[in-house]
Amino acid sequence: MPRRAVYALYFCSGACGLAYQVLWLRQLSYVFGVTAYAASTVLAAFMAGLAIGSWLAGPLLKRVRQPLAAFGIVELLIGSAALATPIMLGVASSVFRAFYGTGPDTFTQQTLIRFICAFVVLLLPTVLMGLTLPLVSASSVIQGPRFSSHVSTLYAVNTAGAVSGALLTGFVLIGAIGMQATFWLAAALNAFVGLSALGLQRRLAAGTDTAADASHSGAVAPPADAARPSGDASGAGSTAPVSGARVIWLVMALSGAASLALEVVWFRLMTLFVDATTYAFTTTLAIVLVGIALGGATAARLLSRPRNWVLWLAAIQVATAVGVVLSLGLLTWPGVPLVSGMRALQRVLLSFLLPSLLMGVSFPLLLRLGVPPSDAPDDESQAAARAALVGRFYGVNVLGAIIGSLAGGFLLLPWLGTRLSLVAVAGVFAVAGLAVALLQRRMATWLPLAVMVALAGVMATRLPDPYVTTTRDRIGPGIVEVFREEGAQTSVSVHESQFERVLRVGGLHQANDTQGMVKVHRQIGILPVALHPNPREALVIGLGGGASAGAVSQHAGIDVQVVELSEGVRKAAAYFAHINYDILNRPNARMRVDDGRNFLLLSGERFDVITADIIQPIHAGAGSLYSKEYFQLVRQALKPGGIAMQWIGQRERAHYLLIMRTFLEVFPHTTLWLDGSLMVGSLEPLRLNREAFERKLSDPQTREALAAAGLSSFDDLRRWYTGGPDAMRAFVGPGPLLTDDRPLVEYHRSLPADTERLDVTALRSSIAEIDPPTP
């Protein structure tokens, strides 16, 4: 049937849309950084394009006689525009560089420039994407007495396609073939959809499916509910009052805002229970989309029969509020049957699924109330007007989503925290539901819903603090929280017991003040300073507990620039002043809250020493700090004779080889230290300088810092040496590199299973390579 073919094509369109969203957000992060402000700016620009496209559908549909053909052309243009993204990114990068760090209000200016650049880069493809739902809705195979049901099915299949696009892109394609090849694959799928839609429109126009199409063109009597106007409060009258129509529009906007704000808060909540890998984020996004798709499919079945849609919408909105409260309860209440025995990720997915399903039901019901089906045979103008109204409703929903995503990240989480943010979002759904229920002006209608809202409020007061719950489960009792900040970027907390003080970022252990941990972090900071004969300017990327940056700051005559992604981490470092040499208050240290890679790209500053705190490469977004392109930025930021230090640690052999091979590609003179855990890159062959090191030891402050890291003498430094570049190249052999296009360690599931144990003994070589004996 033609309608099934349209559904299939719209499924593929949804898969492409989500694939592009993942790819664009990642590519733009290389230009604008991965700060919450940069990411939200890019997402807002993306959704703004969708909203514009939805609203432009109205004027376009007045001129279009074959909507499916127009949809096909739009799909072809989307694929072409996506392939032009790299060119546009180059222009955006140049513009952003030109304005970086200028003007009296740098933050406001940078945010505005980011938005403008991202908006321009994404404008054409996102506007085209925004046109697709109204265009498909205007087709004769969708129009007719079951219009609302058919549009609901479109919504469901498009979201199901988005699930497929998210999973394929996040779990398979980026790791297996890379981002650029994924762009080409998605564009090819767009081309298939576009050409198929053109062919389908040609078949319909030729009358090859006249009998099948007639049953959906208004030629048969509509079901009973089709004659009921959209805004009728009782579901059985004639025309709704204007106030009722305004409420429906308002609830459409509120629904979009609450849904996106909820996703932002959910993603923050998720990081407290599972490791923040790209696979965890992809899986969570997929389960939310699965719920929405199932909700859309459920709505399509509901809309096939007459019902009191106002009451249904009100009940669904209130039920969503209850479901949002339960989503946190299922994760934090102890002893919940069945749920408590699940693994953390399973509990997260289950708790998010029900509210997502209810949100998926709401959008089609809102459309049913706002866009009436026809009770008579349609003409082209009626079909176009109805489809244009779908576009306007979708545009209002997307505009609400923009507000919700920004409010969730920049207002709710910093002001209220995760628990109260969820309660606030639930309150928005509850208020929307009660507002719709009050349209019927009958106590018997809204009173039960008010009781449900009251019960949800009671449950909300009994929700445990998720931070307390996860801390107790991960660490155990007897732990005291001494600091917490739930900022726009991430959540940061400091806990202490009688044994240690621990810094957690996004729920993950970042640093502590135990002797062994402090020594490791100090070694990361002190080694490049010890090797450089006379370092004056140093850059430390990532603050953590501050031990690395603090160790660097102890060298006599050095100035330290620290770049940290999170303001909360900067504040938390004050609780580790006893192990970081009070780095926040040192006169020779500057602190900048920014994306480290973005700083290297745009600042133009150069340094004698560049080092970085420990950043786990498998965590979401960390691939941008292990790629060949990132290491090239580090190299470019070094002064002549400069030294770059890169932690590699002890990890799976495949990951170890990839990181080392990539670093060697950029720094051919790399040397390996501390049993293979630290790599030192230099612009020319490294040579140890005993005289320079002895001079460092002559300064009491520097000598103390060196000794605290384990370097009390020049012989200690020599003992740290593991191997030189020749041994390292022989060890890693030929093979793939980590690039922005293929961040293989972050997307490690694309790598073959590696059970071989890491053995670095083959890397050991003579210290004479860098410290030849005196003749």
Side-chain angles (χ1 to χ4, degrees):
M1 291 176 64
R3 195 185 328 122
R4 291 182 179 177
V6 171
Y7 291 157
L9 294 178
Y10 207 49
F11 174 94
C12 295
S13 178
C16 293
L18 227 294
Y20 289 138
Q21 182 178 339
V22 171
L23 295 169
W24 283 330
L25 291 178
R26 189 171 186 93
Q27 281 196 329
L28 286 164
S29 73
Y30 296 147
V31 177
F32 302 132
V34 296
T35 65
Y37 299 97
S40 295
T41 300
V42 170
L43 184 60
F46 178 90
M47 291 191 291
L50 294 179
I52 292 172
S54 299
W55 280 79
L56 289 178
L60 177 63
L61 284 166
K62 293 179 181 178
R63 298 173 174 82
V64 170
R65 297 197 173 206
Q66 295 183 324
L68 273 182
F71 167 68
I73 293 171
V74 164
E75 286 289 315
L76 292 171
L77 291 174
I78 290 172
S80 301
L83 292 179
T85 301
I87 298 174
M88 297 297 294
L89 277 173
V91 175
S93 179
S94 299
V95 172
F96 190 51
R97 287 187 191 190
F99 286 93
Y100 182 82
T102 63
D105 188 350
T106 302
F107 174 78
T108 302
Q109 177 179 282
Q110 287 179 11
T111 300
L112 179 61
I113 296 299
R114 281 190 188 107
F115 179 81
I116 293 173
C117 291
F119 184 73
V120 171
V121 169
L122 302 179
L123 178 62
L124 180 57
T126 54
V127 166
L128 292 170
M129 288 178 180
L131 291 171
T132 57
L133 179 60
L135 285 175
V136 177
S137 299
S139 168
S140 61
V141 299
I142 301 300
Q143 292 285 330
R146 297 187 62 186
F147 175 73
S148 300
S149 179
H150 295 161
V151 173
S152 299
T153 305
L154 281 175
Y155 175 67
V157 298
N158 186 259
T159 308
V163 174
S164 301
L167 291 175
L168 281 172
T169 304
F171 274 84
V172 179
L173 296 177
I174 291 180
I177 63 175
M179 294 176 61
Q180 191 58 46
T182 304
F183 266 119
W184 280 97
L185 185 62
L189 186 56
N190 279 130
F192 168 78
V193 172
L195 294 174
S196 299
L198 290 169
L200 182 58
Q201 181 68 73
R202 192 177 302 113
R203 287 178 58 200
L204 292 173
T208 56
D209 293 292
T210 303
D213 192 50
S215 64
H216 309 290
S217 63
V220 297
D225 71 316
R228 296 176 184 155
S230 61
D232 181 23
S234 66
S238 55
T239 305
V242 175
S243 61
R246 289 175 177 171
V247 168
I248 298 303
W249 281 85
L250 176 61
V251 172
M252 177 64 87
L254 288 176
S255 179
S259 298
L260 257 292
L262 180 60
E263 286 189 32
V264 171
V265 178
W266 270 348
F267 278 120
R268 176 66 60 83
L269 179 63
M270 177 209 70
T271 62
L272 298 179
F273 293 88
V274 298
D275 287 346
T277 66
T278 187
Y279 299 113
F281 280 104
T282 300
T283 303
T284 303
L285 174 61
I287 202 65
V288 172
L289 293 174
V290 165
I292 292 173
L294 291 174
T298 301
R301 295 184 66 86
L302 290 173
L303 290 165
S304 64
R305 298 180 61 187
R307 289 177 172 86
N308 186 336
W309 298 120
V310 170
L311 180 57
W312 270 84
L313 176 62
I316 291 295
Q317 290 285 307
V318 171
T320 305
V322 176
V324 170
V325 173
L326 285 174
S327 71
L328 179 55
L330 291 176
L331 290 171
T332 55
W333 286 331
V336 178
L338 299 178
V339 176
S340 297
M342 290 182 175
R343 294 180 179 178
L345 182 58
Q346 292 173 327
R347 292 168 58 199
V348 168
L349 299 182
L350 178 64
S351 64
F352 294 175
L353 182 60
L354 177 60
S356 301
L357 190 150
L358 293 170
M359 289 190 292
V361 176
S362 291
F363 182 78
L365 295 189
L366 283 161
L367 281 179
R368 171 62 182 80
L369 290 167
V371 185
S374 175
D375 58 354
D378 292 335
D379 58 28
E380 289 183 359
S381 62
Q382 288 177 327
R386 194 177 297 113
L389 197 54
V390 169
R392 291 174 64 191
F393 259 85
Y394 180 62
V396 168
N397 187 261
V398 173
L399 287 174
I402 296 173
I403 296 171
S405 64
L406 296 176
F410 300 136
L411 298 178
L412 293 182
L413 285 171
W415 290 359
L416 301 178
T418 302
R419 180 168 61 95
L420 292 180
S421 292
L422 279 172
V423 173
V425 173
V428 174
F429 283 115
V431 168
L434 292 178
V436 174
L438 289 172
L439 290 175
Q440 301 206 314
R441 299 186 177 90
R442 293 202 304 267
M443 182 178 293
T445 299
W446 59 261
L447 185 57
L449 298 181
V451 172
M452 287 181 62
V453 171
L455 290 175
V458 172
M459 286 192 298
T461 64
R462 298 175 180 272
L463 289 174
D465 186 328
Y467 285 85
V468 174
T469 300
T470 54
T471 300
R472 182 190 64 233
D473 293 344
R474 287 184 173 183
I475 307 176
I479 304 297
V480 178
E481 183 180 86
V482 297
F483 170 82
R484 185 204 300 178
E485 178 171 292
E486 297 186 56
Q489 183 66 39
T490 187
S491 59
V492 181
S493 60
V494 178
H495 298 85
E496 69 177 10
S497 67
Q498 59 178 324
F499 303 108
E500 62 179 343
R501 181 172 287 179
V502 179
L503 171 67
R504 293 185 175 276
V505 179
L508 296 174
H509 178 281
Q510 182 70 23
N512 64 55
D513 62 354
T514 59
Q515 184 177 359
M517 176 66 73
V518 171
K519 186 174 182 179
V520 168
H521 283 275
R522 285 176 172 171
Q523 289 169 341
I524 292 171
I526 209 70
L527 177 60
V529 173
L531 292 173
H532 194 285
N534 188 28
R536 293 301 179 193
E537 300 286 341
L539 171 65
V540 181
I541 296 177
L543 178 62
S548 297
V552 175
S553 72
Q554 295 303 289
H555 189 279
I558 199 169
D559 289 320
V560 185
Q561 172 70 71
V562 183
V563 180
E564 167 55 47
L565 193 61
S566 169
E567 173 67 16
V569 171
R570 186 193 68 79
K571 294 178 181 178
Y575 290 86
F576 295 87
H578 58 292
I579 56 98
N580 64 27
Y581 300 101
D582 197 17
I583 183 65
L584 297 180
N585 297 310
R586 291 198 60 81
N588 66 330
R590 295 172 290 153
M591 192 70 56
R592 182 185 182 94
V593 178
D594 199 353
D595 174 82
R597 174 171 171 149
N598 212 234
F599 177 81
L600 287 169
L601 176 68
L602 301 172
S603 71
E605 296 187 42
R606 302 180 74 190
F607 302 90
D608 299 302
V609 167
I610 298 177
T611 187
D613 193 38
I614 292 176
I615 300 167
Q616 293 292 345
I618 65 169
H619 289 166
S624 63
L625 296 179
Y626 283 88
S627 68
K628 176 182 176 181
E629 291 84 353
Y630 167 73
F631 291 143
Q632 287 173 333
L633 290 174
V634 171
R635 180 186 175 103
Q636 292 167 12
L638 287 175
K639 292 180 179 180
I643 287 177
M645 211 291 301
Q646 176 62 47
W647 172 79
I648 187 171
Q650 301 290 321
R651 61 189 62 257
E652 294 91 335
R653 178 181 170 85
H655 298 188
Y656 190 87
L657 296 181
L658 277 165
I659 296 171
M660 182 178 287
R661 186 183 298 120
T662 305
F663 196 76
L664 273 167
E665 178 74 13
V666 178
F667 293 98
H669 305 297
T670 296
T671 51
L672 197 64
W673 301 78
L674 271 179
D675 296 322
S677 63
L678 301 178
M679 297 184 296
V680 172
S682 53
L683 303 180
E684 51 272 324
L686 181 68
R687 292 290 182 268
L688 293 186
N689 188 325
R690 178 183 290 270
E691 181 182 354
F693 187 84
E694 298 290 348
R695 192 165 54 247
K696 298 177 197 293
L697 292 177
S698 67
D699 179 82
Q701 179 178 280
T702 307
R703 180 174 65 251
E704 182 182 350
L706 288 166
L711 290 177
S712 299
S713 67
F714 185 71
D715 287 337
D716 288 336
L717 179 63
R718 296 175 85 251
R719 279 191 288 270
W720 279 19
Y721 182 72
T722 302
D726 293 337
M728 294 172 69
R729 271 188 284 272
F731 183 75
V732 299
L737 303 176
L738 296 173
T739 63
D740 289 347
D741 187 64
R742 291 190 71 193
L744 291 169
V745 174
E746 184 181 344
Y747 290 83
H748 52 273
R749 292 196 178 186
S750 61
L751 296 171
D754 183 13
T755 58
E756 186 177 356
R757 190 173 179 181
L758 179 65
D759 181 5
V760 298
T761 55
L763 286 164
R764 299 189 181 279
S765 49
S766 171
I767 188 66
E769 293 178 330
I770 61 171
D771 186 29
T774 303

